[in-house]
Amino acid sequence: MKTYLTQVWDISYKDIRLEMRTRQMAVSVLVIVIALMIVTNLAIPKSVDATFTTTATVIWLCILIASFMVVMRNFVIEYDQIGFHGLIMCPVPRDAIYLGKVVSNLIFLLVIESILFPLSSILFDVPLLTPTVTAITGMATIGIVAAGTLFAAISVNTKAREIMLPVLFFPAVIPIVLAAVDATQNALNPSYGAKILEDIGVLAALSLAIIATSAILFNFAVDE
Amino acid sequence: MHIGYVVRIIIGTGILIALLGASDGTEIATTNQSPEANLPFLFAAFAVAWLGFIIYAWYLASQHSRLRQEIANMQKQLTDIQDSIEN
Amino acid sequence: MLLQNRIMLGLILIAMMSALYLIFIMVPTDVNLGVSQRIFYIHVPLAVLSLIPPIIVFITSTLYLVRRSPQWDALAHSSVEVGLLFTTLALVTGSIWARPTWGVWWTWDPVLTTFLILWLVYLGYLLIRSYTVEPDKRARFSAIVGILGSINALAVYLASELWRTIHPDKVIGPAAEENALDPAIQLGILVSFIAILLLFAYTIIFRTRLHSAVNQIGSLRDQIDDLVYRISNK
């Protein structure tokens, strides 16, 4: 009898192994996001002075788009190869399937972020590789991916999946994106001090709430 | 709700916003002007609200009559079949 | 049923007419804002009633997921549709009021942001219904979207209160504080609220009835199919 965590890991490891073999998604998403980052950076007028604010905004915009593409790809591959029914037939709890998908999506995003952040840190000339920014990014990414995974599982079943996912997903992550942008710009601001721990706590609580609600609702979403 | 209605709502809202934007040049009455100076805004708000109610009521009524027609047709079909079985 | 309909419509008509009389004849013109303050009498009831559908949707969607009876789904769908109408009208009338008063059509104040997101959530809910083919999936998916959407509307309000307070225009709610004691104004607000509340309730009930008509068509079709099957097997 496998434990719950092993079940979760097995499901996410399947996605990771697939991605390691094909290297289809991570590379394309990374290229798109870097292009987006450069374009948004150039689109902001040079006269705009608030470096911390613009950096935080551009970074989170990129992460939002990246997570949208990652969760979509992950489920479209599963669904189009009729692997999804096999996945649901697995003798594991439904929320283990959900958490497995969240973990694999999260790992893909963390890989993308680990390249995006050093690059933006150079291009924006802002120290993004501090422990606080890393903690904020990790916490907020969990919440964004958790919401995205649930909505992707729903919208992949509809006729217009590319339209449905952003319509459902973007409004749903507004609170956590607002919190993340605010926390990132505070973390970049050296005069903000130790209050940043409070921001990280808020983000962690938000992510936890999203992941718990979505795990419960996922049981109903795949109820075949 | 059929997808066409959603599209119509979006287009309608767009046209409305465009109209509001186009009328943006109209002079805004400040406090020292006469109290009736903002009458066009009052008219616009009530016109929009009533228009919204009426269009939705019209949509509901048309759906209602369509469904009633369909129910009547099917009931007739059903009795016809039942009659043909009995004969 | 028909008599009930007529009584309800008559009540709505009476309430609407008395509200219009109060708004345009009885109520004194606001000293600071001029006549455009009268938009409030329609805007405030619309805006307040826009906040009811999320509560209905949250409760009925949860009940649907637990019990799986289609009547809860019908009620959730109806209240979202009426909610979309009310939110749209509240946003537009509010915008028309804001232009002469604040000088802008729109400001990213927490209340306004929440209404805009609520509007988007409603659209998403209706879109997912129209894009899902199987009735069972449609009801389940829209219930999930409805539950998350109602929680999200609250979360967006709290989030924009917390993290977007840098914005200067923090003018919330009716600016009618100084005139609030005038009985004519109180009566005006009360009567137009009742009128729009009746309209709100009636449209939701009527919309739910359309759902039961659709169900009736479904069961009639089953009966016909059943008979045709029996005839062809004779």
Side-chain angles (χ1 to χ4, degrees):
Chain A
M1 186 71 188
K2 284 180 175 175
T3 62
Y4 189 76
L5 286 177
T6 341
Q7 292 171 343
V8 169
W9 173 247
D10 281 350
I11 285 162
S12 48
Y13 187 60
K14 174 190 76 67
D15 291 342
I16 293 162
R17 203 154 55 181
L18 185 70
E19 180 58 26
M20 297 261 265
R21 283 189 194 151
T22 58
R23 303 225 173 111
Q24 220 178 14
M25 177 169 61
V27 176
S28 52
V29 172
L30 193 62
V31 171
I32 294 170
V33 166
I34 289 172
L36 179 70
M37 194 255 292
I38 293 168
V39 169
T40 11
N41 196 9
L42 289 174
I44 295 167
K46 237 184 150 15
S47 55
V48 174
D49 210 25
T51 332
F52 297 153
T53 320
T54 48
T55 311
T57 314
V58 171
I59 284 283
W60 283 104
L61 188 67
C62 290
I63 292 174
L64 191 63
I65 300 294
S67 50
F68 159 61
M69 287 189 288
V70 165
V71 293
M72 194 76 221
R73 284 300 302 161
N74 200 345
F75 269 101
V76 166
I77 291 171
E78 195 84 66
Y79 200 80
D80 286 355
Q81 319 289 329
I82 327 284
F84 197 62
H85 291 284
L87 196 64
I88 287 169
M89 291 298 154
C90 278
V92 294
R94 294 270 158 76
D95 36 73
I97 298 175
Y98 169 75
L99 289 177
K101 281 283 174 194
V102 169
V103 169
S104 61
N105 285 334
L106 187 65
I107 288 170
F108 295 149
L109 264 178
L110 290 179
V111 169
I112 290 164
E113 281 167 358
S114 68
I115 297 168
L116 184 72
F117 271 69
L119 197 65
S120 349
S121 163
I122 294 166
L123 291 178
F124 285 99
D125 194 21
V126 163
L128 279 173
L129 299 173
T130 56
T132 42
V133 176
T134 315
I136 289 164
T137 314
M139 286 304 161
T141 312
I142 293 173
I144 292 175
V145 165
T149 307
L150 176 67
F151 286 125
I154 291 176
S155 49
V156 85
N157 279 294
T158 60
K159 280 192 286 178
R161 34 172 90 141
E162 294 84 3
I163 301 172
M164 268 340 291
L165 184 57
V167 167
L168 300 176
F169 174 52
F170 290 161
V173 290
I174 286 172
I176 195 154
V177 169
L178 279 187
V181 170
D182 190 68
T184 312
Q185 86 188 46
N186 288 340
L188 293 174
N189 191 350
S191 61
Y192 193 69
K195 255 175 78 186
I196 194 70
L197 292 174
E198 227 171 86
D199 290 7
I200 297 173
V202 170
L203 275 173
L206 259 177
S207 289
L208 197 68
I210 293 175
I211 214 166
T213 325
S214 307
I216 295 167
L217 290 176
F218 186 82
N219 289 311
F220 297 104
V222 294
D223 196 8
E224 305 287 324
Chain B
M1 189 189 260
H2 189 262
I3 182 71
Y5 287 105
V6 180
V7 173
R8 271 175 241 175
I9 289 169
I10 295 169
I11 293 172
T13 321
I15 292 172
L16 203 67
I17 290 168
L19 280 177
L20 289 177
S23 68
D24 208 10
T26 48
E27 225 170 276
I28 310 296
T30 45
T31 38
N32 48 9
Q33 276 173 290
S34 79
E36 271 90 39
N38 288 324
L39 210 54
F41 289 97
L42 182 63
F43 164 73
F46 274 81
V48 165
W50 282 100
L51 207 65
F53 286 142
I54 289 167
I55 289 173
Y56 188 63
W58 176 71
Y59 159 75
L60 284 185
S62 70
Q63 294 288 306
H64 184 63
S65 62
R66 187 180 62 82
L67 289 173
R68 261 178 41 177
Q69 186 66 44
E70 206 169 324
I71 288 173
N73 284 345
M74 292 185 98
Q75 266 164 347
K76 195 171 159 289
Q77 214 179 332
L78 193 65
T79 45
D80 284 353
I81 297 172
Q82 275 165 341
D83 287 348
S84 67
I85 292 175
E86 281 162 21
N87 295 334
Chain C
M1 196 139 105
L2 262 173
L3 185 69
Q4 277 175 12
N5 265 355
R6 280 184 195 162
I7 292 172
M8 192 77 179
L9 280 174
L11 276 177
I12 292 173
L13 204 67
I14 293 168
M16 279 287 175
M17 286 304 140
S18 20
L20 284 178
Y21 177 77
L22 283 164
I23 294 167
F24 288 103
I25 315 273
M26 285 280 283
V27 164
T29 303
D30 191 277
V31 197
N32 297 318
L33 303 174
V35 284
S36 63
Q37 190 267 332
R38 287 171 207 247
I39 294 174
F40 260 167
Y41 296 103
I42 194 154
H43 170 72
V44 172
L46 281 171
V48 170
L49 289 174
S50 304
L51 299 174
I52 308 289
I55 302 168
I56 301 178
V57 171
F58 184 80
I59 295 168
T60 51
S61 298
T62 315
L63 281 172
Y64 176 78
L65 287 180
V66 177
R67 297 262 167 81
R68 297 294 164 97
S69 61
Q71 86 216 36
W72 296 121
D73 177 53
L75 191 53
H77 178 212
S78 311
S79 54
V80 167
E81 232 183 73
V82 178
L84 180 68
L85 173 76
F86 274 62
T87 319
T88 312
L89 294 181
L91 280 170
V92 174
T93 51
S95 198
I96 294 170
W97 175 84
R99 184 65 184 138
T101 315
W102 296 344
V104 287
W105 291 110
W106 185 262
T107 148
W108 289 98
D109 154 290
V111 178
L112 275 75
T113 313
T114 310
F115 269 85
L116 193 61
I117 300 306
L118 197 59
W119 189 79
L120 259 182
V121 166
Y122 287 154
L123 267 190
Y125 182 96
L126 294 176
L127 273 177
I128 197 132
R129 283 193 87 91
S130 52
Y131 277 133
T132 317
V133 189
E134 301 94 326
D136 165 59
K137 267 189 187 171
R138 184 193 303 145
R140 271 191 288 123
F141 289 173
S142 51
I144 292 170
V145 171
I147 291 172
L148 284 175
S150 343
I151 301 173
N152 189 38
L154 188 64
V156 168
Y157 177 73
L158 296 175
S160 35
E161 272 280 2
L162 276 172
W163 293 298
R164 291 193 64 99
T165 39
I166 332 124
H167 282 257
D169 300 305
K170 218 169 174 292
V171 194
I172 305 172
E177 312 96 3
E178 71 269 29
N179 285 347
L181 291 173
D182 192 321
I185 290 177
Q186 280 184 339
L187 191 68
I189 289 261
L190 184 70
V191 171
S192 58
F193 189 84
I194 289 170
I196 294 177
L197 178 68
L198 285 174
L199 193 68
F200 175 79
Y202 183 70
T203 29
I204 289 187
I205 293 166
F206 194 87
R207 187 67 189 81
T208 327
R209 268 189 217 149
L210 290 188
H211 267 282
S212 54
V214 172
N215 287 342
Q216 202 186 338
I217 289 174
S219 68
L220 277 171
R221 186 166 292 145
D222 287 348
Q223 282 179 34
I224 291 174
D225 287 351
D226 191 39
L227 278 177
V228 170
Y229 178 75
R230 264 195 273 164
I231 292 169
S232 58
N233 276 20
K234 251 180 197 169

